Amino acid sequence: MFARLLCSTALLAAMGSTATADTTLHILHINDLHSRIQPINRFDSTCNAEDDAAGECFGGVARVATAINELRDDLTESGENVIVLDAGDQFQGSLMYTTFKGDVEAEMMEAIGFDVMAVGNHEFDDGPGNFARFLETVSFPVISGNLDLSQSDELNGMVESYVVLDVNGTQVGIVSALATDTAETSSPGPNVIFQDEIDAIQSDVDELTEQGVGIIIALTHVGLPVDIRIAEAVTGLDLIVGGHSHTYLSASDQDRAGPYPTWASNPDNELVPIVQAYAYSKYLGHLEATFNDDGNLLYAAGDTMVLDASVTPDPEIAERVAELAAPIEEAMAEVVAEAADVIDGSRDNCRAQECAMGVLVATAMLERVRDQGIDVAIQNGGGLRASIDGGPITMGEVFTVLPFQNTLATFQLTGADIIAALENGVSRVEDGAGRFPQVAGMRYTWDPAGEPGSRIVSVEIETDMGFEAIDPEATYGVVSNNYMRGGGDGYSMFAANGMNAYDFGPGLEQVVADYLAENSPYMPHLEDRVMQAE
């Protein structure tokens, strides 16, 4: 457990804070659910009924409901103040979203009783119109302070910059921001305008302070590194509940990405706690924060709790989930192949280095269209959303890895543009960006110590004679997915310079399922297609 005494200021007191002496808030939070409506296995894929019955699975919204309801009820009965927050990315990641396009997520959030949700980048995956439909369905506020939606016919007036909650007579301001690269990582369209996260949050904090709101929380979807920068730059902000980077923070588990909470010092030399709870419904975060009568944070401590088999799923929600899943599960239970071992598709690996899932998917893409004059495949690591366990592989597992319904896109590029694409792919490894390139038909070496844009050391194309250095002036056939071909994840050269493009090939998930079937049992492996300079 962590506790810190923070330097106080007279500013909030002068503004007439409505906080009472030693106000304590209990903040229950999740982030990046990614449509894991059903329980997940240890690889973050949808768990089968047999493993769930054996107690080997985690999460799912029925367990989230139990954990939140039991904590909220116990705390409320003891006279404590409780708020329940979601830091974005409810959408995208399972067949529940692919089939129902956010309706199930809305229904479950309403049933659980969230107080506020931040906009996540994947809320835009099916465009602003589909997100607007979600917003019309839910009764709680969904906020983001750095979005200018005035030009969007679908969303104008539907997302507020911040909200003020009345928590048993105490005003609690919730501000928010969304990652500014959402235009590259999702599909918000040209009429959703993004503003600087720090500037937007500071402006909203100042506005709330002028209103006399003494407790101000940032509920963000920008990732932990940006959250730290926000904490270090913004004055008047008490704490941050974040998402987007899927960071596992813990006060008790040493196998963690960082402590819960993680602390940063603001411009007034006051410490700001930052919390996040991994992703996929596996954990529930619980932060206890105490404020003095000026609204200044005195104490913050808590932890993430794992939602394993010891948490009994809420029976009503579990029954509803089973009802919704029934027509999906029959088709998805089809076994398409066998895996000789675990196929690693973990976020940490596939966004930073060659991973076994990247080898599988890129190879499957290339083999599907090689006879069409295609030389190389490039797949973004962020498009790989789970691992697959050894043993039978179901179609449902393949969909969990590749939930975006992307199609194969083939086109031609110069060698120079391929190099530029790889430079883009390795330009934001430090941020865990999804653009990291998994490849086939080629290999490349990159230098993580180099400046972004100057990290690619060498690129070689695989030919009948072996690997040969890429010719910047030559033209090569490329296969990718239609999202990247459209410029997604920063691959603007695909959209601008791709020649003879065809974006409507077979579904990527079907291509991979077919390749697995043809190569069953599939042996996961690496190919040394991605190497780091020594």
Side-chain angles (χ1 to χ4, degrees), residues 1-19:
M1 303 291 277
F2 291 81
R4 299 290 174 94
L5 181 65
L6 304 189
C7 301
S8 64
T9 68
L11 176 60
L12 295 181
M15 293 297 179
S17 167
T18 59

Side-chain angles (χ1 to χ4, degrees), residues 117-279:
M117 174 184 169
V119 178
N121 57 310
H122 286 287
E123 269 69 77
F124 288 106
D125 276 4
D126 282 277
N130 187 65
F131 181 35
R133 193 171 59 82
F134 172 85
L135 293 170
E136 291 170 347
T137 304
V138 299
S139 61
F140 50 83
V142 181
I143 63 172
S144 190
N146 68 324
L147 297 183
D148 177 357
L149 302 176
S150 61
Q151 308 301 310
S152 173
D153 292 338
E154 298 100 333
L155 292 173
N156 188 19
M158 299 191 71
V159 176
E160 297 296 328
S161 295
Y162 59 79
V163 65
V164 178
L165 302 178
D166 185 328
V167 184
N168 295 324
T170 297
Q171 285 190 310
V172 178
I174 314 289
V175 300
S176 188
L178 171 61
T180 55
D181 65 352
T182 295
E184 299 175 356
T185 63
S186 190
S187 303
N191 297 325
V192 175
I193 301 168
F194 293 82
Q195 301 165 335
D196 180 78
E197 304 100 321
I198 291 173
D199 291 344
I201 286 182
Q202 184 66 75
S203 176
D204 289 340
V205 169
D206 290 345
E207 189 169 326
L208 286 171
T209 300
E210 290 173 4
Q211 295 174 19
V213 177
I215 298 174
I216 304 177
I217 298 167
L219 179 65
T220 65
H221 195 84
V222 296
L224 183 61
V226 179
D227 278 332
I228 293 171
R229 293 200 292 272
I230 290 170
E232 292 172 341
V234 174
T235 59
L237 183 63
D238 292 306
L239 59 91
I240 299 175
V241 177
H244 189 50
S245 55
H246 297 202
T247 308
Y248 174 43
L249 303 181
S250 175
S252 55
D253 185 355
Q254 294 306 305
D255 187 19
R256 64 189 187 183
Y260 183 107
T262 291
W263 296 86
S265 183
N266 75 7
D268 294 328
N269 202 32
E270 298 171 344
L271 292 170
V272 178
I274 305 167
V275 295
Q276 194 174 144
Y278 184 56

